[in-house]
């Protein structure tokens, strides 16, 4: 079976700066992989490249069977990215946002169920996103991620902004998604939190994947 | 494409209904332009205002459309929404048509308000509602399409607020000229040496070109923004 993510000597350039300088990475279906490394190592660019948001200008890049160098737009519908930003409209309520992105993605998932699973409290579902706290917005973004029903999750510092119950909830969602065959690529500096979730770690330094380690799940 | 256009237009109009930026900021700005022109041209100096009413009306529409377009583009530039939109699977042509339609609806409401303002402030007598409506429809589609296109072009730039008028105003100058000429006699009741039909054709061609160009190019421009 082909890997979900297959990168060989992949290069991404931001302006004139090579944010990914020939990275190799293979991720199998259902795997949970942690990307770790110092600030500016290229973790976020790697996630954005896999999502088809940043062009891969050299090397091989195939995600979910789509060649990113030929047409990176085709893969986008099948991935879900939880990044540093919310990706939500401030003037729409949480419920309206989740419904809008669900309809945009042509998904059959239930927006109400997605909000339930993301732990979005019923009392804030009718509140404009712009009026919510950072943690509440994060949960709303999580609901959008869930409603998209994507085959590949790309999580960039997913625990940031969440309270303790929110972090536990996120961990449960990642485990449950992986158990159902969803592939998860996760970038985090919170190693004590992220390591128990993953099958494997990849260290990204200077735009390269320096080393891989299999996590011993006790 | 049409399904996505309806979805995006509905979303933009819902946001506008809730935030009331067009109603509370753009419309007062447009009426203020009419009032300032009235002060500047002094209604006591004969029929200067009546003669210039058509041009002043469309200048007010044009300047106000800049605010509406900037607001429309800003919605998609906020907090990672541009990335979310690219990941959504929405057809870029549908996004363009939806956003342009939402801007057009706002401009149409604005034109009704300004029309009433021109009648009341400039003391003009409307004599060709049909011509006015056709002119307004063609000009509004052209302005909304060109504005949406240049809005996404400027969206990725830090200086977009100041750059957008510089990009857009020269491009939509033909709309200003054609709409002014086409609606001159209908809006002021004065005889015009030029038949409106020729100017209406120019407006229609402009609208068709920018809608077609937007449908074809919006996806590429989204990638660059």
């Amino acid at each position: 079976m082909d890997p979900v993510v297959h990168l060989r000597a992949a290069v991404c350039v931001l302006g004139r700066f090579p944010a990914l300088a020939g990275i190799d990475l293979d991720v199998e279906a259902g795997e949970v992989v942690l990307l770790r490394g110092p600030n500016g190592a290229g973790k976020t660019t790697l996630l954005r490249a896999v999502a088809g948001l940043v062009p891969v200008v050299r090397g091989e890049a195939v995600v979910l069977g789509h060649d990113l160098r030929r047409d990176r737009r085709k893969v986008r519908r099948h991935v879900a990215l939880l990044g540093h930003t919310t990706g939500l409209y401030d003037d729409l309520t949480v419920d309206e946002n989740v419904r809008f992105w669900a309809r945009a993605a042509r998904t059959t998932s239930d927006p109400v169920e997605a909000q339930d699973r993301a732990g979005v409290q019923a009392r804030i579902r009718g509140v404009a996103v712009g009026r919510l706290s950072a943690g509440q917005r994060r949960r709303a973004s999580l609901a959008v991620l869930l409603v998209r029903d994507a085959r590949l999750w790309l999580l960039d510092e997913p625990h940031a902004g969440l309270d303790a119950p929110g972090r536990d909830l996120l961990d449960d969602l990642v485990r449950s998604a992986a158990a159902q065959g969803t592939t998860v690529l996760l970038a985090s500096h919170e190693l004590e939190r992220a390591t128990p979730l993953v099958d494997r770690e990849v260290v990204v330094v200077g735009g390269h994947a320096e080393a891989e380690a299999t996590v011993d799940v006790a | 494409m049409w399904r996505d256009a309806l979805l995006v237009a509905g979303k933009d109009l819902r946001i506008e209904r809730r935030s009331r930026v067009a109603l509370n900021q753009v419309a007062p700005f447009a009426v203020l332009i009419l009032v300032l022109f009235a002060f500047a041209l002094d209604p006591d100096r004969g029929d200067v205002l009546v003669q210039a009413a058509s041009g002043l009306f469309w200048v007010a529409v044009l300047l106000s459309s800049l605010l509406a377009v900037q607001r429309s583009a800003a919605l998609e530039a906020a907090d990672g929404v541009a990335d979310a939109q690219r990941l959504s699977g929405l057809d870029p042509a549908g996004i363009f048509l939806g956003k342009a339609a939402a801007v057009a609806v706002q401009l149409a409401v604005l034109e009704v308000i300004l029309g009433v303002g021109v009648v009341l402030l400039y003391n003009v007598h409307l004599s060709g509602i049909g011509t006015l409506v056709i002119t307004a429809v063609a000009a509004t589609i052209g302005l909304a399409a060109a504005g949406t296109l240049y809005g996404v072009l400027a969206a990725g730039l830090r200086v977009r607020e100041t750059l957008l008028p510089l990009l857009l105003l020269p491009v939509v100058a033909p709309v200003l000229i054609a709409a002014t000429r086409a609606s001159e006699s209908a809006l002021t009741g004065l005889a015009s040496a030029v038949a409106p039909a020729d100017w209406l054709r120019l407006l229609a061609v402009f609208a068709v070109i920018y809608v077609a160009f937007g449908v074809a190019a919006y996806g590429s421009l989204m990638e660059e923004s």
Side-chain angles (χ1 to χ4, degrees), chain A residues 16 29-31 61-62 77 102 123 128 138 142 175-176 184 186:
Chain A
R16 296 168 66 183
E31 255 195 312
V62 180
R77 191 188 290 267
R123 66 182 176 86
R138 195 69 169 163
L142 204 51
R175 286 193 190 97
S176 147
V184 182
L186 184 158

Side-chain angles (χ1 to χ4, degrees), chain A residues 51-137:
Chain A
L53 291 173
V54 176
V56 176
V57 295
R58 231 180 298 157
E60 290 175 36
V62 180
V63 176
L64 292 165
H66 298 282
D67 186 342
L68 300 187
R69 293 203 56 195
R70 194 173 298 163
D71 188 358
R72 60 193 163 95
R73 295 184 198 189
K74 284 184 180 166
V75 78
R76 292 175 181 169
R77 191 188 290 267
H78 307 290
V79 305
L81 173 68
L82 184 68
H84 298 285
T85 52
T86 63
L88 303 172
Y89 293 100
D90 278 356
D91 291 310
L92 294 184
T93 66
V94 174
D95 189 56
E96 287 167 344
N97 266 290
V98 176
R99 286 179 190 280
F100 174 76
W101 292 117
R103 289 185 67 191
R106 292 173 168 78
T107 174
T108 53
S109 301
D110 181 5
V112 175
E113 188 192 333
Q115 291 173 76
D116 289 341
R117 289 179 63 204
V120 179
Q121 297 160 295
R123 66 182 176 86
I124 66 164
R125 291 180 190 185
V127 177
V129 165
R131 295 183 173 191
L132 300 179
S133 72
Q136 289 170 325
R137 289 182 202 205

Side-chain angles (χ1 to χ4, degrees), chain A:
Chain A
M1 203 167 145
D2 292 334
V4 169
V5 177
H6 170 73
L7 303 178
R8 278 292 170 279
V11 176
C12 288
V13 180
L14 299 182
R16 296 168 66 183
F17 173 72
L20 296 182
I23 197 162
D24 296 334
L25 180 67
D26 281 300
V27 181
E28 301 297 330
E31 255 195 312
V32 182
V33 176
L34 170 66
L35 302 174
R36 61 185 177 91
N39 291 331
K43 302 184 295 298
T44 296
T45 304
L46 176 55
L47 292 178
R48 289 173 59 77
V50 170
L53 291 173
V54 176
V56 176
V57 295
R58 231 180 298 157
E60 290 175 36
V62 180
V63 176
L64 292 165
H66 298 282
D67 186 342
L68 300 187
R69 293 203 56 195
R70 194 173 298 163
D71 188 358
R72 60 193 163 95
R73 295 184 198 189
K74 284 184 180 166
V75 78
R76 292 175 181 169
R77 191 188 290 267
H78 307 290
V79 305
L81 173 68
L82 184 68
H84 298 285
T85 52
T86 63
L88 303 172
Y89 293 100
D90 278 356
D91 291 310
L92 294 184
T93 66
V94 174
D95 189 56
E96 287 167 344
N97 266 290
V98 176
R99 286 179 190 280
F100 174 76
W101 292 117
R103 289 185 67 191
R106 292 173 168 78
T107 174
T108 53
S109 301
D110 181 5
V112 175
E113 188 192 333
Q115 291 173 76
D116 289 341
R117 289 179 63 204
V120 179
Q121 297 160 295
R123 66 182 176 86
I124 66 164
R125 291 180 190 185
V127 177
V129 165
R131 295 183 173 191
L132 300 179
S133 72
Q136 289 170 325
R137 289 182 202 205
R138 195 69 169 163
R139 284 181 187 246
S141 298
L142 204 51
V144 172
L145 175 114
L146 292 169
V147 85
R148 282 176 59 86
D149 213 9
R151 291 160 61 194
L152 172 61
W153 285 11
L154 305 167
L155 311 178
D156 197 356
E157 299 293 349
H159 297 101
L162 289 172
D163 55 14
R167 288 164 167 239
D168 291 341
L169 178 82
L170 176 76
D171 293 351
D172 289 343
L173 289 172
V174 170
R175 286 193 190 97
S176 147
Q180 288 167 18
T182 304
T183 309
V184 182
L185 208 48
L186 184 158
S188 181
H189 291 291
E190 298 187 58
L191 301 182
E192 71 288 350
R193 191 88 216 183
T195 304
L197 289 174
V198 304
D199 303 311
R200 191 158 58 92
E201 296 179 18
V202 174
V203 182
V204 181
V205 179
H208 293 276
E210 291 255 309
E212 293 200 15
T214 303
V215 177
D216 183 17
V217 182

